[in-house]
Amino acid sequence: MRTDGSNPIREAARILAERRNAVALTGAGISVESGIPSFRGAQGMWAKYDPAEYATLHAFVLSPRKVWEMLSEMVSVCGGAEPNAAHQGMAALEKMGVLRAVITQNVDGLHQAAGSRRVIEYHGNMETLVCISCWKRYPTRKRWTPGTVPLCDCGEILKPDVVLFGEPIPWLAQEQAEEEARTCGVLVVIGTSAQVSPACDIPRIAKESGAVVIEINPEPTSLTATVTDIHLPGIASEVLRRLIDELSLADETFPSIPSGH
Ligand code: NAD
Ligand code: ZN
């Protein structure tokens, strides 16, 4: 797709308003403003925990107590976090009828907490623990306390119901995400480095099916020069605020946006 490049925010708003069938793909970057570190980068979790040692199914099976050092930190940080203005902006876009679904790689539940209704959790979530021996599930808050390793009634160590490296994507989430990618008019990719497979295939599927790909990220990614049509550099809350302001100006039929947006 060709864009004139003179005002990318206005161009993105025009396309979103015209098509009104956008889907978003979000990653760790959208939750950074809620105080949850992303995985990559100097402040990221991988600077502290080597993913090969802490984030694979193999590592969990071999030494679950060690992997729980990293998981405990994730559960505590996610459990204490509140949605930020970017999550609220996504919920506002859904209410406006511009965005129909969010596919998220995040496991923090913050899109739902902000009021987004259709959220596809591609990598599961931290709210549930699962036993990889007998498959019994438990709410995390009932089974885990800081400093402990949660146990199943059968005696095994429980795993958060999130996708570790080496685990398949939950079947329904993968089906729904691919269907959304194939049928959306616009894919808005926010705060993901697009390096985790197969989530990184979603933008390509959308693009090959005719969607315009808009990317919100302060840094360029592997998508920016290849798949992205419009790159909006900046932090998610700020870019979404400007995008929503522009949408409201461009189309008076949109319902008014809650204050803060
Ligand atoms: P990533 O850490 O690989 O990349 C984060 C991206 O966000 C980077 O491209 C960075 O430039 C961008 N970014 C940083 N701050 C931003 C901001 N304020 N606004 C917009 N963009 C910003 O994250 P990923 O691609 O999502 O892959 C990491 C994997 O780890 C995911 O699969 C996810 O499941 C998991 N994870 C989840 C959480 C969470 O649930 N909040 C946190 C960390 C990691
Ligand atoms: Zn069990």
Side-chain angles (χ1 to χ4, degrees):
M1 203 203 72
R2 282 185 171 277
T3 58
D4 70 9
S6 59
N7 187 336
I9 292 262
R10 186 164 299 164
E11 179 73 350
R14 184 186 64 74
I15 293 165
L16 285 167
E18 249 171 42
R19 301 203 171 190
R20 293 199 189 205
N21 60 353
V23 166
L25 171 67
T26 65
I30 199 168
S31 295
V32 165
E33 293 172 75
S34 292
I36 304 178
S38 65
F39 275 1
R40 289 172 186 79
Q43 308 302 318
M45 293 281 280
W46 294 157
K48 198 163 156 192
Y49 299 104
D50 176 353
E53 274 181 60
Y54 286 93
T56 68
L57 181 62
H58 185 66
F60 186 86
V61 171
L62 280 184
S63 33
R65 285 179 191 278
K66 178 176 172 183
V67 171
W68 262 102
E69 291 166 24
M70 184 266 291
L71 292 174
S72 293
E73 194 168 323
M74 276 295 279
V75 178
S76 308
V77 173
C78 290
E82 299 284 342
N84 66 54
H87 299 104
Q88 285 152 4
M90 302 302 281
L93 285 172
E94 188 181 334
K95 279 205 192 79
M96 291 163 80
V98 170
L99 186 75
R100 68 173 197 221
V102 177
I103 304 164
T104 188
Q105 298 169 79
N106 296 344
V107 293
D108 53 32
L110 293 181
H111 283 298
Q112 294 92 325
S116 284
R117 276 168 301 185
R118 177 143 168 80
V119 181
I120 299 167
E121 292 183 312
Y122 202 77
H123 290 155
N125 69 62
M126 282 284 182
E127 279 166 21
T128 310
L129 299 171
V130 62
C131 175
I132 56 172
S133 177
C134 72
W135 301 107
K136 196 164 173 186
R137 288 180 146 72
Y138 305 86
T140 306
R141 68 193 145 69
K142 290 209 170 150
R143 211 72 192 185
W144 176 84
T145 46
T148 65
V149 168
L151 297 178
C152 181
D153 290 342
C154 78
E156 286 294 328
I157 294 180
L158 293 164
K159 183 183 90 64
D161 199 6
V162 299
V163 177
L164 298 177
F165 290 111
E167 286 193 285
I169 304 302
W171 177 83
L172 188 60
Q174 183 155 26
E175 285 286 303
Q176 290 179 341
E178 288 186 8
E179 173 70 12
E180 292 292 355
R182 270 195 301 274
T183 57
C184 66
V186 185
L187 186 77
V188 187
V189 182
I190 308 178
T192 175
S193 61
Q195 287 181 42
V196 177
S197 176
C200 60
D201 294 336
I202 293 169
R204 187 187 44 77
I205 294 171
K207 175 88 172 186
E208 284 172 2
S209 309
V212 175
V213 177
I214 297 171
E215 187 179 16
I216 300 175
N217 196 314
E219 307 291 334
T221 70
S222 59
L223 300 174
T224 314
T226 52
V227 175
T228 301
D229 294 297
I230 304 176
H231 178 209
L232 304 176
I235 59 170
S237 62
E238 179 56 21
V239 174
L240 280 166
R241 186 188 58 72
R242 287 166 56 207
L243 201 52
I244 290 172
D245 284 351
E246 198 63 56
L247 272 165
S248 307
L249 277 177
D251 191 334
E252 287 164 6
T253 65
F254 285 126
S256 59
I257 309 297
S259 61
H261 294 286

